[in-house]
Amino acid sequence: MGAAETRRSDNGQNEGEVTAYTDPLTGLGNRYRLRDKISLLSEERAADPAPFTVALVNLDGFKPINDLFGSQAGDEILCQVAHRLQACIPGGAIVTRDSGDEFAIVLPLIFEAAGAERVGHLIKDVLSAPYDLGDRNVRLSASLGFAIHPFAGADFESLMKSAETALYHSKRRGRGQITVYSSEIAQEMRRSTQLEQALRNAIINDDVDVHFQPIVDLRDGRTLGFEALARWIDPDMGFVSPAIFVPLAEERGFIDTLSETLLHKAAEAALTWPRELFLSFNLSSVQMTDPATASRTLTILGNVGLDPSRLDLEITETAVMHSAATASKIIEELRRAGIRISLDDFGTGQSSLGRLRDFTFDKVKIDRAFISAISNDRATEHIVRAIINMCQGLNLEVVAEGIETEAEMNLLLSLGCIMGQGYYFGKPCDAMATLRYLSRQYNNMPLKP
Ligand code: C2E
Ligand code: MG
Ligand code: MG
């Protein structure tokens, strides 16, 4: 028992006080107990300035389990978590239940980040073992955030706020993550919140634009279509890469709005191009988990008046991996409507050839990482050759991404690759510049912006 608690019992606790400091479900202390403990420790440590640590532990995916198996099962899990935490924390530490599926731990003898991380890994492992619910076992993971007194906050409120920031940082990175609060993390969180606000405003004010990069026939340089790429220039931050703001919109839950705005603009631009040219548009991986994606896409095409057979949708392997059944339905529905599906960034990430068998794609885009290495690395050349041969056998079209030199183009042609995209043929440019580019190719085709 910690010094603070000894003092409390020495003073004599009546029953009402016990109830006021106890979480009725788990029997652990509650937030009042936590506040008391931290306040007392802060006072003690004012004389003996050794740091101490507070941890927040939040279960990942607890709500769906609660919804699926009922609140009794949820309560049972929370009690088991409470037991496990009490059993595994180091001597002198106390566990409280903060709220819902969140627990707090005060660690008087953890003084620095490495120690916090060690405890974090132990807790994470202990909580990831299956939970016995009588007739079934359930598995959960936990996210953790640590804050070290006094660096992360000298009083209860500011210390807890820092622990919450650390926990939020963990949650953002996915399940089972551990974060120890630092001023860099706080700054990163502030920056991404600012970025989110600016992006939301940019969408409302119609400031997010779409640019187009040609996809060409390598044999004669003829343009076959364009890939639409999102572009955003913030008045304060300047150019922000879609590789930053697309994942942010996914994470903060407004990728649908962003993507719909972009598809609308891209489809309108495509209407001004010669009919035989296709539009290639990137779908985000989050959209592949939402069954409404197919109908939303078709509605936009309908509103704009673009023939679905002129649209290619680019998706990545991660997108189809997360919820394979939903992704498969979306792909089927889109293909039935005449839209083609491209597998983007092929060869990177969680590549599996099985994906090419399990899903129906029309096209594979070989990632730029392979193309930029192809001229000076024999192994890469063999891999690209194998991908091209395999796609031919599977009746899939192949596009090489990121071609920057004539040598790369010639090598790809000799390997049997027919389509390519990259700075060598053209950088992404806005709708007007795209029309000018086309009018040069099509011998002064009249512009209809
Ligand atoms: P991606 O779909 O693989 O797009 C190709 C990226 O490679 C683009 O980067 C393009 O500008 C770049 N690129 C093309 N040719 C070359 C080259 O020769 N050399 C080099 N160094 N780069 C080349 P960008 O525009 O920065 O987009 C990055 C990623 O952001 C895209 O990768 C895509 O995953 C995502 N993204 C862009 N626009 C959208 C969008 O409208 N919706 C969604 N969901 N994602 C988008
Ligand atoms: Mg793409
Ligand atoms: Mg790509």
Side-chain angles (χ1 to χ4, degrees):
M1 195 181 268
E5 274 157 285
T6 318
R7 213 175 304 161
R8 174 162 298 289
S9 6
D10 286 346
N11 290 344
Q13 262 179 326
N14 62 36
E15 221 170 279
E17 250 182 281
V18 172
T19 322
Y21 280 87
T22 308
D23 165 41
L25 176 66
T26 59
L28 295 175
N30 59 15
R31 190 155 176 105
Y32 297 112
R33 160 83 71 218
L34 178 71
R35 195 179 52 197
D36 257 30
K37 176 81 184 172
I38 289 179
S39 304
L40 278 166
L41 255 179
S42 310
E43 275 170 35
E44 277 175 25
R45 296 291 163 101
D48 159 24
F52 67 89
T53 299
V54 57
L56 282 176
V57 181
N58 190 294
L59 303 179
D60 301 319
F62 177 71
K63 191 177 177 301
I65 288 189
N66 210 22
D67 293 346
L68 191 64
F69 300 128
S71 59
Q72 229 179 334
D75 286 352
E76 176 56 34
I77 290 173
L78 292 175
C79 289
Q80 291 187 29
V81 168
H83 274 119
R84 290 185 192 187
L85 287 174
Q86 273 185 309
C88 79
I89 54 171
I94 68 152
V95 189
T96 61
R97 180 166 167 234
D98 206 31
S99 64
D101 61 342
E102 195 159 300
F103 296 82
I105 305 170
V106 185
L107 299 148
L109 299 178
I110 298 293
F111 307 131
E112 32 73 60
E117 273 164 17
R118 257 195 316 278
V119 174
H121 284 290
L122 174 71
I123 293 175
K124 194 182 116 180
D125 289 347
V126 165
L127 295 187
S128 65
Y131 292 83
D132 179 9
L133 293 182
D135 51 346
R136 65 173 74 85
N137 278 340
V138 172
R139 277 182 184 277
L140 281 175
S141 59
S143 301
L144 288 94
F146 289 85
I148 303 176
H149 181 279
F151 320 114
D155 56 42
F156 174 73
E157 300 297 339
S158 52
L159 191 63
M160 290 310 287
K161 198 163 162 261
S162 298
E164 272 155 26
T165 303
L167 176 64
Y168 184 50
H169 187 262
S170 290
K171 285 272 180 191
R172 276 188 59 199
R173 289 187 300 145
R175 291 163 177 249
Q177 299 292 323
I178 297 166
T179 306
V180 181
Y181 177 90
S182 66
S183 53
E184 289 81 32
I185 280 168
Q187 203 179 11
E188 187 191 319
M189 302 297 285
R190 266 198 304 277
R191 258 205 304 269
S192 64
T193 304
Q194 269 165 7
L195 199 65
E196 176 191 350
Q197 292 310 318
L199 180 58
R200 284 183 186 272
N201 283 331
I203 296 171
I204 292 169
N205 299 330
D206 201 24
D207 286 339
V208 185
D209 202 9
V210 59
H211 282 201
F212 302 93
Q213 186 181 31
I215 297 173
V216 307
D217 188 322
L218 298 179
R219 295 165 301 187
D220 53 14
R222 199 164 41 99
T223 300
L224 303 169
F226 291 91
E227 176 174 3
L229 294 157
R231 289 291 177 266
W232 172 38
I233 299 175
D234 178 78
D236 299 322
M237 290 174 284
F239 175 86
V240 185
S241 164
I244 304 239
F245 70 78
V246 168
L248 185 74
E250 286 179 344
E251 181 196 301
R252 306 288 165 108
F254 58 99
I255 186 64
D256 285 348
T257 322
L258 174 63
S259 187
E260 283 170 21
T261 313
L262 292 169
L263 179 58
H264 202 277
K265 285 189 183 190
E268 278 186 334
L271 278 186
T272 68
W273 310 336
R275 268 201 61 85
E276 64 271 25
L277 298 188
F278 65 81
L279 166 69
S280 208
F281 185 83
N282 294 285
L283 276 189
S284 102
S285 44
V286 170
Q287 291 177 288
M288 294 309 288
T289 64
D290 179 357
T293 294
S295 61
R296 287 213 189 106
T297 305
L298 292 169
T299 305
I300 293 170
L301 294 189
N303 289 344
V304 174
L306 186 75
D307 185 343
S309 70
R310 291 187 61 195
L311 184 67
D312 270 38
L313 287 175
E314 301 190 7
I315 59 181
T316 60
E317 290 177 82
T318 344
V320 290
M321 221 173 60
H322 279 323
S323 42
T326 310
S328 186
K329 278 208 196 84
I330 297 172
I331 292 175
E332 253 173 58
E333 201 177 329
L334 291 166
R335 290 189 82 246
R336 257 202 315 275
I339 293 172
R340 286 177 310 265
I341 307 292
S342 302
L343 185 57
D344 202 359
D345 305 341
F346 186 73
T348 60
Q350 313 262 341
S351 284
S352 154
L353 297 180
R355 224 84 69 195
L356 292 176
R357 194 189 50 198
D358 300 341
F359 295 90
T360 322
F361 298 110
D362 300 278
K363 204 181 263 180
V364 164
K365 298 187 78 174
I366 308 177
D367 194 79
R368 184 163 65 85
F370 288 97
I371 309 305
S372 51
I374 197 172
S375 308
N376 41 33
D377 182 48
R378 292 284 294 166
T380 305
E381 186 187 325
H382 281 295
I383 293 169
V384 172
R385 186 198 306 274
I387 296 175
I388 293 166
N389 287 341
M390 176 184 67
C391 288
Q392 272 164 359
L394 291 170
N395 238 343
L396 289 165
E397 292 183 313
V398 182
V399 178
E401 294 189 288
I403 301 175
E404 293 187 353
T405 65
E406 191 180 1
E408 285 164 3
M409 179 190 74
N410 286 332
L411 189 49
L412 285 159
L413 266 173
S414 75
L415 298 178
C417 183
I418 291 172
M419 285 191 249
Q421 175 181 359
Y423 293 171
Y424 180 65
F425 307 103
K427 288 195 170 179
C429 54
D430 68 20
M432 277 306 290
T434 301
L435 274 185
R436 284 197 295 273
Y437 167 92
L438 280 173
S439 85
R440 282 196 297 276
Q441 283 217 350
Y442 280 76
N443 288 330
N444 298 322
M445 175 193 83
L447 300 176
K448 6 168 219 173

